[in-house]
Amino acid sequence: MGQKCCTQRKDEVGAGSKDGKAQDMGSRKSVAGGSYDKKRAISIGYHSKGDDSEKFDKAFETNDLKAFVELLASEQAIESFDERMHPWAEDPKTVGALAGTQLAILASAAEQAEGNKQIKHDIRNAGAIPPLVDFLKSEQNDRVQTAVVALSFLTADCKENVVAAFEAGALELMLKLVDSSVAGERAAAATTLRNICVEDDKYRKSFVELGGILALVNQLDTKADPALNHADVQLEAVLNLQDMVETDDGQTIPEYASLAVKAGAIPKLQALEKSDDEEVRTSATEVLESLRDFA
C-alpha cells in the first residue's frame, strides 16, 4: 500500500514500486493538512476580549490540553490575527476554533518529531476527538476546516485515535467534505478518510458503502490550487485510491477495484501517466496495473 506521506515518497528512489510500497507500513499524513510555522507553537498573535481569551492564554502558557478541550465550545469572537495561521484553512473566528487550531498545531508537531508521538494520545485522552468531530457539523467554515486539519494529523499513524474518530461519526461527516470547493479541505478530508479505513476492514467497507470509492476517483482530476503543490495533491489522490483498493500486502481487492473502474478511474489515471512529475506518473501506472484486470 502507498503508506508514506507523498512528500516523503518523492524523496526516495523507487518508492513507486510495489516492493518499496510494501516495505513501509506507517500511516501517511495529508500534504493538504498544511503545516504551521514552528514559531506558532511558541506564540500566537491574536486579538480578542473576554474571559475565554484569558483562559486560552493561561492554557497556552501551561500547555493544558484539557483546558483547550473545554474551550472548544467557546463562541467568544476573535477580532484579528497578526498573521495568517494556515496556508488554506480560514483563520479561527472564535476562541473555540482557536483552541482547536492549537490542538492541530500540537498534533502536527508530532508528525515532525518522533519523540512527540505521545501528544496524539494525550490529546485523545483529554477528550478532544468527539468535539472536534462535532466541529465537522458546524455552519462555521473556520470550525469545519480546523477540525479537518486537526483530525488529519491526529489520525495519522495512531490507531486509537482512528477508533475514537470513527466511533464519534467522523467517517460520514468527513466524506461529505471530499466535494468541498476548497482544494486543501478536499484533499485533507480524503486522506483522513484513508487513515481511518486502512485501520479496519469494517471501516473500509462502511466507507465503500457510502460511495467513498467514487469520491476518491473524483479526486484524481481536480484543478490546481495556488495554495498547494499540485503534483503533491495528485500523488496523494493516487495513493489514497491505491490504499483503498489494495490490501496491506499489495493484493488487489476485486470488489473495490471494480468499483473504481466503474467510477472512471482508468482514464483519469492514464491522464496522470502524462504528468510532468515522475512520482505521479509511476504511481498512476502502478494503480492502473492493479485495476486493468477489472476493466
Side-chain angles (χ1 to χ4, degrees), residues 16 19 22 25 54 81 90 125 203 224 238 253:
D19 289 341
M25 303 309 292
E54 294 179 5
F81 285 89
E90 291 186 10
N125 290 333
Y203 299 168
V238 173
I253 303 171

Side-chain angles (χ1 to χ4, degrees), residues 52 56 65-76 94-104 123 126-135 140 143 146-147 150 154:
D52 286 348
F56 178 87
L65 298 179
K66 288 187 177 181
F68 287 134
V69 172
E70 290 173 358
L71 284 167
L72 290 173
S74 173
E75 294 286 353
Q76 181 181 308
T94 62
V95 172
L98 180 61
T101 297
Q102 179 60 15
L103 293 173
I123 291 172
I129 291 181
L132 284 172
V133 172
D134 282 343
F135 269 24
Q140 302 172 39
R143 285 182 180 257
T146 292
L154 287 168

Side-chain angles (χ1 to χ4, degrees), residues 76-144:
Q76 181 181 308
I78 292 178
E79 298 168 8
S80 64
F81 285 89
D82 291 344
E83 58 182 305
R84 187 172 176 82
M85 294 285 293
H86 189 271
W88 58 262
E90 291 186 10
D91 283 339
K93 293 180 173 61
T94 62
V95 172
L98 180 61
T101 297
Q102 179 60 15
L103 293 173
I105 290 171
L106 294 171
S108 73
E111 293 300 307
Q112 299 167 20
E114 190 66 31
N116 291 338
K117 296 294 184 183
Q118 180 60 37
I119 189 65
K120 292 186 180 183
H121 298 286
D122 294 341
I123 291 172
R124 180 189 70 256
N125 290 333
I129 291 181
L132 284 172
V133 172
D134 282 343
F135 269 24
L136 298 175
K137 305 173 187 176
S138 176
E139 296 296 325
Q140 302 172 39
N141 288 337
D142 62 317
R143 285 182 180 257
V144 174

Side-chain angles (χ1 to χ4, degrees), residues 35-207:
S35 59
Y36 293 97
D37 194 302
K38 290 181 180 179
K39 67 183 178 181
R40 294 195 179 97
I42 302 172
S43 63
I44 296 177
Y46 74 102
H47 304 279
S48 180
K49 297 178 181 178
D51 292 343
D52 286 348
S53 58
E54 294 179 5
K55 291 177 183 178
F56 178 87
D57 292 344
K58 183 176 180 180
F60 192 93
E61 291 172 1
T62 59
N63 202 31
D64 188 338
L65 298 179
K66 288 187 177 181
F68 287 134
V69 172
E70 290 173 358
L71 284 167
L72 290 173
S74 173
E75 294 286 353
Q76 181 181 308
I78 292 178
E79 298 168 8
S80 64
F81 285 89
D82 291 344
E83 58 182 305
R84 187 172 176 82
M85 294 285 293
H86 189 271
W88 58 262
E90 291 186 10
D91 283 339
K93 293 180 173 61
T94 62
V95 172
L98 180 61
T101 297
Q102 179 60 15
L103 293 173
I105 290 171
L106 294 171
S108 73
E111 293 300 307
Q112 299 167 20
E114 190 66 31
N116 291 338
K117 296 294 184 183
Q118 180 60 37
I119 189 65
K120 292 186 180 183
H121 298 286
D122 294 341
I123 291 172
R124 180 189 70 256
N125 290 333
I129 291 181
L132 284 172
V133 172
D134 282 343
F135 269 24
L136 298 175
K137 305 173 187 176
S138 176
E139 296 296 325
Q140 302 172 39
N141 288 337
D142 62 317
R143 285 182 180 257
V144 174
Q145 292 175 3
T146 292
V148 171
V149 174
L151 290 168
S152 73
F153 289 123
L154 287 168
T155 58
D157 198 20
C158 189
K159 182 175 182 177
E160 295 86 351
N161 285 358
V162 165
V163 172
F166 180 83
E167 292 181 347
L171 186 71
E172 189 167 358
L173 292 168
M174 199 70 76
L175 183 55
K176 294 177 181 179
L177 300 174
V178 177
D179 292 326
S180 168
S181 60
V182 180
E185 186 172 29
R186 288 196 305 270
T191 295
T192 304
L193 287 164
R194 173 261 170 209
N195 291 345
I196 293 172
C197 291
V198 298
E199 286 294 349
D200 194 308
D201 286 342
K202 71 177 182 182
Y203 299 168
R204 191 195 312 241
K205 182 178 180 181
S206 295
F207 172 79

Side-chain angles (χ1 to χ4, degrees), residues 213-226:
I213 294 292
L214 175 60
L216 291 184
V217 170
N218 287 341
Q219 293 272 309
L220 295 174
D221 60 355
T222 56
K223 295 181 180 179
D225 185 291

